[in-house]
Amino acid sequence: MISVYQLKSKFSDILRPLVNSMVKIGITANMVTISAFILSIAVGVFIYFYAPKCACAYWALPVALFIRMALNNIDGVIAREHNQKSNIGAIYNELGDILSDIVIYVPLLIVCGCSFKLIFMFTILTIISETVGIMGIQIGASRHYDGPMGKSDRAFWMSILAIVLVFWQVPRNYITIFTGVVSLLLIYTSYNRIAGALKEAETK
């Protein structure tokens, strides 16, 4: 299934010189992971308070998500290529990704006028899709990142929504349709991840 995540390796190659420089000055993978979470909180709060006053505030979301994507890539490269893998780092990484999505996307959807039922459904399905991706490890498979609505894909589509909101006050029913479609794709993503993990586990 096509996913933005498939571009990760190319992005890592671009960032590798920066990563090497960061390691030289003592920046660790866990520092980068925590920084990405703090950035998400800050942007979520900023959008909640300022987007209703000025539509230009929505620009903060795609910019922050791009930076967060870079930081998520950087912490992985540091951990893998500079001998910084750790159990606590793995927990920070997985939990940080889930919480970051919640604190940055929920404020956006609230400001857009999305119903709380849909926001709740989107949040739960996001948690489930990432959790089932991790669960592959429990059955002897690998961590699964299958799409079509993985972390990178959510970042892409939420960024598109934010950019549209800069120029156009999107009707509430459109926001409802958008959130509903994303939620359905999250269900499909969870299915793909479960199916992929089971298939991988059976071949081992």
Side-chain angles (χ1 to χ4, degrees):
M1 182 61 63
I2 295 174
S3 171
V4 176
Y5 183 80
Q6 294 170 353
L7 300 175
K8 183 177 180 180
S9 60
K10 293 181 179 180
F11 197 32
S12 297
D13 293 337
I14 295 172
L15 292 172
R16 191 162 283 106
L18 174 62
V19 170
N20 294 335
S21 298
M22 293 171 70
V23 171
K24 286 180 181 178
I25 62 175
I27 295 176
T28 67
N30 289 344
M31 288 180 185
V32 177
T33 303
I34 294 171
S35 297
F37 179 53
I38 293 173
L39 173 66
S40 298
I41 294 174
V43 173
V45 171
F46 178 79
I47 288 175
Y48 182 79
F49 285 105
Y50 290 97
K53 302 174 184 178
C54 178
C56 289
Y58 286 115
W59 279 116
L61 189 133
V63 172
L65 287 177
F66 181 79
I67 295 172
R68 179 187 150 196
M69 182 174 64
L71 292 174
N72 287 339
N73 204 299
I74 287 169
D75 68 7
V77 175
I78 292 176
R80 290 190 305 272
E81 300 181 6
H82 296 273
N83 197 30
Q84 291 191 24
K85 284 187 177 182
S86 65
N87 291 332
I88 190 63
I91 293 172
Y92 283 158
N93 187 60
E94 296 292 356
L95 186 60
D97 283 345
I98 294 171
L99 294 178
S100 292
D101 273 8
I102 294 171
V103 299
I104 201 169
Y105 296 147
V106 169
L108 172 67
L109 293 174
I110 291 175
V111 171
C112 288
C114 187
S115 73
F116 283 100
K117 288 182 180 179
L118 263 180
I119 293 174
F120 179 76
M121 181 176 69
F122 167 82
T123 302
I124 294 301
L125 290 173
T126 295
I127 294 170
I128 290 173
S129 69
E130 293 307 311
T131 302
V132 297
I134 301 167
M135 286 169 60
I137 299 172
Q138 298 297 315
I139 60 173
S142 59
R143 203 308 189 183
H144 273 252
Y145 298 93
D146 309 69
M149 196 51 67
K151 178 180 67 177
S152 300
D153 306 295
R154 289 193 297 276
F156 174 79
W157 288 111
M158 288 297 182
S159 294
I160 294 297
L161 173 61
I163 293 171
V164 170
L165 287 166
V166 172
F167 302 102
W168 183 38
Q169 189 173 354
V170 181
R172 185 172 179 176
N173 60 321
Y174 285 17
I175 298 296
T176 297
I177 293 171
F178 173 84
T179 309
V181 170
V182 170
S183 296
L184 288 174
L185 290 174
L186 281 168
I187 294 173
Y188 188 37
T189 297
S190 295
Y191 168 79
N192 283 335
R193 292 181 175 186
I194 292 170
L198 288 173
K199 183 177 180 180
E200 181 184 346
E202 289 174 357
T203 60
K204 290 188 175 181

